[in-house]
Amino acid sequence: MPISTCAVDRAEDIFERIFLGIAEDQVVCLGDFADTESRKLTFSIVGLGRAFRQATSAAFRDLAALIGILAALQGCSATTHPEQPAALGRPIALAQMERILDQADSTGLIALESFTCAEWVADLSAVLNLDNPAAKSAGLTEREEPIQVFLYALRHPTYGLFLVDLGFSAQMAHDPSSVGAGLIMRHAMHLNQVHFHLGPADVLKTENTPLRGVLLTHMHPDHIGGLSEIPLETPIYIGPGETQERHWTHFFTRTMANRELQGRPALQSWNFMMAAIGSAPELAVVDVFSDGSVFALSVPGHTRGSVAYLVRTAHGPVLLTGDTSHTRWGWEHGVEPGSASADRARNRISLLELKALVARHPQIQVRFGHQL
């Protein structure tokens, strides 16, 4: 089948931008898990990139562009940082968690405070699947959507202070290239339109207790960008397999993730027992502190290891959806995120599972990944 001029032009444009801003570990990641022939192709691509900048032949540029795209689509892992099972928390059945939700909280007051790290924008097609029938029926089309970046402080009466997600650091917000955000990442994520308010360091300054851990919903740059502002020894908790997920976008984000994680202990992954064997017919749950106060919920789709958190606060249970639902409109209409998610179909299942949970327990307050 002939390749359209539009497709060739787009491939050429992407290929050119890749080789204007490529970093060494991004080159290696194309072949770090491939067979020998793929590795040979990877290192050939590096040579093509150099030649590309000097090429005058349109035919050569088109060929080089297409080869570059094929190589990039192999994908690479989110980070090379080690991941190990968490000692914290215990898996419980969804029904058991729901019974706890209907009881008075006897564990003491769980305080959850929300902070707006930054005002930002995203392509609407990234945060909403515009091909979903509900989105089409509403006449939604591509545009820049105003969003926010959040981080949360969770104060447990026994276990102390935890942060849920980390937003941006001041350095990443003001000089993203200095933390490994390359040209393409800065452009695709509209990092020039980040209006920064505060980072983890600002939150920790107001606390009179040490940070005991970080609970991540997932490892996208706008959720781990504040890592440089927390102590190196801080335990970081993630969903299982989050570090190993392979996706072409990691080609552009892994440099930043590796820099942020350098010198830190292995990431701690929740023991979602049912989810681990791939046969869970319902949400898999971990009781984070083994006292019924905070629950981690396995919601794969946006990323392989995406996690939502359900916190039983003094003012009632609060669900932090993470990017299982970026927007209020997406939640209310049951429309999953778009191109920002690795697996839209699985993301939709996770979204509907969370919505069903809230329908059964309408006292739950919902806080979306990127909107109020």
Side-chain angles (χ1 to χ4, degrees):
M1 179 181 296
I3 299 174
S4 70
T5 301
C6 178
V8 171
D9 288 345
R10 176 161 175 74
E12 181 178 344
D13 175 64
I14 294 173
F15 185 75
E16 180 177 19
R17 286 183 285 129
I18 287 173
F19 285 103
L20 284 174
I22 199 163
E24 286 301 318
D25 66 336
Q26 292 171 331
V27 172
V28 173
C29 82
L30 287 174
D32 64 0
F33 65 98
D35 56 28
T36 301
E37 291 304 313
S38 294
R39 290 193 193 97
K40 289 179 180 177
L41 173 61
T42 296
F43 291 107
S44 296
I45 295 301
V46 180
L48 282 173
R50 297 191 188 101
F52 178 83
R53 292 194 290 267
Q54 303 171 358
T56 57
S57 165
F60 176 83
R61 290 200 306 272
D62 294 346
L63 175 61
L66 293 174
I67 293 174
I69 292 302
L70 289 174
L73 288 177
Q74 294 182 73
C76 59
S77 60
T79 177
T80 57
H81 201 75
E83 171 185 334
Q84 66 184 31
L88 183 67
R90 62 182 178 91
I92 65 170
L94 176 64
Q96 183 180 354
M97 183 193 78
E98 294 196 51
R99 286 194 295 271
I100 293 172
L101 284 179
D102 291 328
Q103 300 170 1
D105 188 352
S106 60
T107 63
L109 300 182
I110 305 297
L112 181 71
E113 186 173 359
S114 172
F115 297 90
T116 300
C117 172
E119 304 290 336
W120 197 20
V121 299
D123 295 331
L124 189 63
S125 61
V127 297
L128 284 173
N129 180 10
L130 299 183
D131 292 327
N132 184 293
K136 288 185 173 182
S137 178
L140 298 184
T141 57
E142 184 67 289
R143 66 169 188 263
E144 287 188 350
E145 176 75 359
I147 60 173
Q148 294 81 42
V149 178
F150 301 115
L151 58 107
Y152 301 88
L154 185 155
R155 303 176 188 92
H156 189 282
T158 303
Y159 287 85
L161 175 68
F162 285 72
L163 295 182
V164 183
D165 285 339
L166 295 170
F168 295 124
S169 66
Q171 182 181 6
M172 181 179 176
H174 298 308
D175 187 11
S177 62
S178 69
V179 296
L183 175 67
I184 298 176
M185 178 180 161
R186 299 197 305 271
H187 175 78
M189 293 185 64
H190 304 292
L191 292 181
N192 63 324
Q193 297 187 62
V194 171
H195 299 284
F196 181 76
H197 297 308
L198 56 81
D202 300 298
V203 175
L204 295 178
K205 284 177 185 176
T206 66
E207 299 291 336
N208 295 317
T209 184
L211 181 64
R212 298 301 186 187
V214 172
L215 315 181
L216 291 178
T217 60
H218 62 293
M219 290 186 61
H220 281 171
D222 50 316
H223 294 257
I224 66 169
L227 271 170
S228 62
E229 294 185 353
I230 68 167
L232 278 177
E233 67 276 10
T234 306
I236 300 169
Y237 298 90
I238 60 172
E242 179 73 1
T243 62
Q244 286 86 39
E245 178 183 56
R246 301 196 179 279
H247 197 261
W248 66 269
T249 56
H250 299 155
F251 179 84
F252 306 107
T253 61
R254 194 168 76 161
T255 295
M256 194 209 85
N258 281 343
R259 288 190 188 182
E260 293 281 354
L261 292 166
Q262 187 173 8
R264 298 183 180 277
L267 299 169
Q268 309 291 301
S269 60
W270 298 120
N271 179 25
F272 291 120
M273 187 178 297
M274 292 184 294
I277 62 174
S279 60
E282 59 188 15
L283 283 168
V285 182
V286 162
D287 185 344
V288 171
F289 300 114
S290 300
D291 62 2
S293 63
V294 180
F295 302 99
L297 311 178
S298 177
V299 286
H302 183 63
T303 63
R304 176 178 170 182
S306 283
V307 179
Y309 291 97
L310 185 58
V311 184
R312 298 176 69 210
T313 77
H315 304 289
V318 177
L319 175 65
L320 308 178
T321 70
D323 286 1
T324 301
S325 183
H326 292 81
T327 66
R328 175 176 291 277
W329 194 95
W331 174 268
E332 292 175 348
H333 294 84
V335 175
E336 68 282 0
S339 61
S341 287
D343 185 340
R344 296 186 203 182
R346 188 63 186 87
N347 194 156
R348 176 169 174 78
I349 292 170
S350 293
L351 171 61
L352 295 180
E353 287 174 335
L354 290 181
K355 284 179 65 65
L357 173 66
V358 173
R360 295 192 297 271
H361 302 273
Q363 75 272 29
I364 295 176
Q365 306 162 53
V366 183
R367 299 188 184 175
F368 318 109
H370 286 282
Q371 282 184 346
L372 297 172

